Amino acid sequence: MTQLTLPAGMEIIGEIKPGFERVLTADALALVAKLTRAFEPRRQQLLAARVERAKRLDAGERPDFLPETAHIRNGDWKIAPIPKALECRRVEITGPVERKMVINAFNSGADSYMTDFEDSNTPNWDNQITGQVNMIDAVRKTISLEQNGKVYKLNDKIATLVVRPRGWHLDEKHVLVDGKRISGGIFDFALFMFHNAKEQLARGAGPYFYLPKMESHLEARLWNDIFVATQTELGLPQGTIKATVLIETILAAFEMDEILYELREHSSGLNAGRWDYIFSCIKKFKLDKDFCLADRAKVTMTAPFMRAYALLLLKTCHKRNAPAIGGMAALIPIKNDPEKNDIAMGGVRTDKARDATDGYDGGWVAHPGLVDLAMTEFKKVLGDRPNQIEKQRPDVEVKGAELLDFKPEAPITEAGLRYNINVGIHYLGAWLAGNGCVPIHNLMEDAATAEISRSQVWQWIRSPKGKLEDGRKVTADMVRAMIPEELSKVKQTVGEGASYDRAAQIFEQMSTSETFAEFLTLPLYEEI
C-alpha cells in the first residue's frame, strides 16, 4: 500500500490504491485541511440553521422573500463579466465521473459538460478518488480507455468542463481532520482546484463549478468565502473561479437575487434543477395537510408552481447579466421501440423549445444521443448568438404565493404508486452497488428523481389527500404489500442481487417510518 504524507491532524481511512497518490499529495491535502479548519464550523452552523428552518415549516410557516434583503433585490447591480469559455452553454450534458462516461460526455458535441461528484455518482471512496484521477487526465487531454477492444479518447473539440462537488449536507467519511469527518464538497472542490485550476487557465478556460442543494444566500456566501481563500492560497486572481448555482430547493427560489449577489465576483448564473426542486417542495411541506402532489409523471414544468419558478429564475438571471440554464430532460433514447422513442424525443424537443422560447440560454441532457436534438431547438431561437441574456422579461411578475401554488393534486394512481416503489428499489439497489446514474423505464434516474419517488410515497401515506383515484387511501400496509411485488419485477429486469433486497428493506423503512429522513443518500452512505 502506498504511503501518503498527511498534514498534522489528518487521518485517511480509505484504501490507498495504486494511482491514488497522484491525487492525495501532501500539498493538496494541506489545502483540504486548511479549508476544513477555516470553514467547517460555519458549515455546521448552516446545517443546524436548516434543521431549525425545517421545524418552523413543519409547524406551518410559509416561506417568502426576505424583507431584510429587499435592497439587494431592488438594487441595480450586475455579476462580474462571464469568461469566454462560459458564454455559450446552449446544451450541457451531465453525468458521473466514471472514465468512459467522462470521455463520451466531452466528445458528445455539447457546449459544456458537468462532471458530477454528486447526485449521479455513488460517493464511495473509489469513485471519488478515481473521479479526481479522471479529471487530472481529462484537463490535460491525456485521458483514454481501452475496453472490449475499443479505444476511447478525447476528440480535438470537446465540451467546456464544469465540476459539481457534493452539497453541504454530505460528509467525506474517509477523511478526518482533528478527529472529525470533513465536508464532501470542500474535499471534492479543493482537490480539483489544487490539481487543475492553473492548468485550465493555461489552456484558455478556468475552474468552473456547479453548486448544488443550497437553501439560502448565507450558504452561497460560505462558498464565496471558500473561493476567495482558495484563490489566495493558490496565487490565483480573485474572480478566477466561476460557479453556477442550482436552484433546486424551494427556499433558494425565494433568495435567487441574493445568491447571485453573494457570488457576484464568481457567478456564472443559475440553473433550474427541477427534479430536486420538486423533491424539496415535498420535503418542506410534508406535514402540510393541504399539500399533496399527483403522480410524479404529472408534475411537469407546466405545473403552476414550476412555471412560476422557471420564469422567476430566468428574469432574475438576465436582469443581472447572468446566464439562465434550464433543467434536465430525464428522457433517454429508446433503441428497441421506435414508436416509444418518437414520443420520448418529442418530450425532450418540447421541453427544450419551451426553455429556449422563454429566454433560457441553455439546458441539460443526460445522454449523448440527445445533444443534437436539444441543440437544434436552442439554435432555432438563438441562431448564431451564444446566449440570449439580452432577452429581459419585464412582463414576468412572480409573487411568493405563485411559487407555492402546488398543483396538480390529482390523479394519484395505483400505477403511479407502484412506479415510485419500483424506481425507488431499482435506484437504491444500483446506488448501493456503486452506480449512481441508472436508466430505469426509459428515464435517466439519479438521486434527485429517486428522492421524489421515496418522498411522495411517505407523504401520500400521511396526507388526508393521499388517496388513489379509485378512492382507496394510500397506507403503510398497502405500500408494504406492494414492495415484494415490485422487488420481484426489478429483479426480472436486473437479475438477482443482494443490494436489491437491501434496497427494498431501506425503501420500506424510509417510506413507512414515522420520521422523514432528510436525504436518502445519508443513511445509504453509511452502508457503502
Side-chain angles (χ1 to χ4, degrees):
M1 185 161 138
T2 312
Q3 284 300 306
L4 299 179
T5 308
L6 300 183
M10 180 182 278
E11 191 185 343
I12 292 187
I13 44 186
E15 184 189 350
I16 308 302
K17 294 185 177 174
F20 282 18
E21 74 285 349
R22 289 178 63 198
V23 172
L24 302 170
T25 64
D27 289 343
L29 292 173
L31 178 62
V32 170
K34 188 161 193 173
L35 293 175
T36 297
R37 290 190 176 111
F39 297 105
E40 180 61 14
R42 268 176 66 193
R43 177 176 81 110
Q44 292 303 335
Q45 285 163 5
L46 289 165
L47 290 175
R50 281 188 185 182
V51 173
E52 287 309 308
R53 185 83 189 274
K55 283 180 187 161
R56 298 203 305 275
L57 293 170
D58 284 348
E61 182 186 289
R62 287 287 196 160
D64 204 347
F65 298 103
L66 304 176
E68 66 269 26
T69 53
H71 64 285
I72 291 171
R73 290 194 299 282
N74 300 329
D76 182 20
W77 52 270
K78 305 279 188 268
I79 67 164
I82 297 289
K84 187 129 191 70
L86 287 177
E87 279 177 3
C88 183
R89 298 162 65 185
R90 296 159 303 189
V91 179
E92 298 195 325
I93 191 167
T94 77
V97 285
E98 188 267 327
R99 202 166 180 90
K100 180 175 151 189
M101 288 192 183
V102 167
I103 297 168
N104 287 344
F106 269 119
N107 290 343
S108 65
D111 293 313
S112 35
Y113 160 42
M114 188 201 79
T115 195
D116 194 10
F117 285 92
E118 201 230 9
D119 261 6
S120 63
N121 168 59
T122 299
N124 62 36
W125 179 244
D126 205 54
N127 284 350
Q128 296 308 110
I129 306 302
T130 54
Q132 293 281 355
V133 171
N134 294 341
M135 290 300 100
I136 290 171
D137 292 344
V139 166
R140 288 153 185 80
K141 289 197 158 184
T142 58
I143 190 169
S144 64
L145 176 70
E146 199 166 330
Q147 200 176 69
N148 306 326
K150 194 174 172 190
V151 177
Y152 297 85
K153 58 182 200 296
L154 294 182
N155 297 340
D156 291 336
K157 187 179 184 319
I158 57 170
T160 297
L161 178 65
V162 187
V163 177
R164 177 159 71 172
R166 282 170 281 184
W168 284 137
H169 61 293
L170 293 168
D171 293 342
E172 177 44 72
K173 67 180 180 181
H174 301 92
V175 183
L176 308 180
V177 169
D178 305 328
K180 292 190 179 127
R181 289 181 178 186
I182 69 168
S183 154
I186 287 177
F187 181 71
D188 302 338
F189 165 78
L191 290 179
F192 181 84
M193 279 296 296
F194 183 85
H195 291 296
N196 303 302
K198 286 181 177 163
E199 184 71 28
Q200 287 180 299
L201 288 166
R203 290 170 177 270
Y208 307 140
F209 295 91
Y210 254 111
L211 304 177
K213 305 283 184 295
M214 282 198 263
E215 295 192 7
S216 75
H217 69 284
L218 297 178
E219 295 183 13
R221 183 181 297 170
L222 175 56
W223 268 121
N224 196 71
D225 290 349
I226 288 170
F227 293 168
V228 170
T230 305
Q231 288 164 159
T232 300
E233 198 62 27
L234 297 178
L236 298 170
Q238 292 301 331
T240 298
I241 295 168
K242 296 295 176 189
T244 307
V245 172
L246 289 137
I247 301 297
E248 48 189 0
T249 68
I250 179 74
L251 299 179
F254 286 95
E255 300 185 33
M256 291 196 265
D257 264 314
E258 294 89 331
I259 287 168
L260 283 174
Y261 184 78
E262 292 294 343
L263 286 157
R264 60 195 180 280
E265 292 303 314
H266 298 106
S267 178
S268 48
L270 304 176
N271 171 292
R274 61 179 72 173
W275 304 109
D276 263 300
Y277 190 79
I278 295 168
F279 161 56
S280 169
C281 294
I282 300 168
K283 175 163 68 172
K284 295 304 181 191
F285 303 112
K286 61 187 178 291
L287 301 183
D288 185 332
K289 297 284 181 266
D290 292 323
F291 172 95
C292 192
L293 288 173
D295 282 0
R296 179 184 136 179
K298 298 282 185 291
V299 184
T300 66
M301 290 307 289
T302 56
F305 73 108
M306 296 301 285
R307 190 77 188 123
Y309 147 75
L311 289 173
L312 180 61
L313 186 148
L314 169 64
K315 178 180 181 168
T316 304
C317 282
H318 284 186
K319 185 179 174 187
R320 308 302 179 186
N321 277 1
I325 307 297
M328 166 74 78
L331 296 151
I332 52 177
I334 305 167
K335 288 179 178 152
N336 53 4
D337 190 329
E339 206 171 308
K340 276 190 180 167
N341 188 61
D342 284 350
I343 295 167
M345 294 308 98
V348 177
R349 204 172 279 115
T350 302
D351 186 70
K352 299 309 166 199
R354 183 184 55 251
D355 276 355
T357 308
D358 282 346
Y360 273 84
D361 304 297
W364 276 16
V365 296
H367 192 285
L370 299 176
V371 171
D372 283 350
L373 185 156
M375 190 69 82
T376 300
E377 293 310 315
F378 274 99
K379 281 184 174 172
K380 276 182 196 169
V381 174
L382 275 81
D384 295 333
R385 292 173 298 156
N387 57 55
Q388 49 182 341
I389 291 172
E390 77 286 346
K391 185 169 184 176
Q392 304 287 309
R393 293 294 305 266
D395 57 308
V396 171
E397 279 298 333
V398 175
K399 305 276 187 293
E402 292 172 73
L403 291 172
L404 303 174
D405 184 11
F406 297 117
K407 293 187 184 74
E409 295 188 339
I412 300 169
T413 64
E414 180 176 331
L417 175 59
R418 285 184 176 277
Y419 182 90
N420 278 344
I421 295 168
N422 187 290
V423 166
I425 293 170
H426 192 152
Y427 181 79
L428 295 180
W431 197 99
L432 287 168
N435 181 11
C437 184
V438 194
I440 306 174
H441 306 312
N442 307 315
L443 292 174
M444 192 62 85
E445 301 280 347
D446 69 1
T449 47
E451 288 280 31
I452 299 173
S453 291
R454 180 266 302 198
S455 56
Q456 274 202 315
V457 174
W458 190 95
Q459 212 243 342
W460 287 343
I461 290 171
R462 279 152 194 80
S463 170
K465 294 183 174 181
K467 290 178 182 163
L468 300 182
E469 58 182 349
D470 60 14
R472 284 178 294 159
K473 175 77 188 83
V474 179
T475 64
D477 285 342
M478 179 190 286
V479 170
R480 286 191 191 101
M482 288 177 180
I483 283 173
E485 296 165 9
E486 293 308 314
L487 172 61
S488 152
K489 291 180 199 167
V490 169
K491 286 183 167 180
Q492 283 165 21
T493 309
V494 296
E496 290 293 326
S499 69
Y500 292 96
D501 292 311
R502 181 69 189 119
Q505 290 172 347
I506 293 169
F507 188 86
E508 179 175 330
Q509 198 182 338
M510 291 186 94
S511 56
T512 61
S513 72
E514 275 314 301
T515 52
F516 183 87
E518 185 71 1
F519 288 97
L520 61 78
T521 45
L522 293 177
L524 286 182
Y525 187 52
E526 302 309 320
E527 303 219 359
I528 56 173

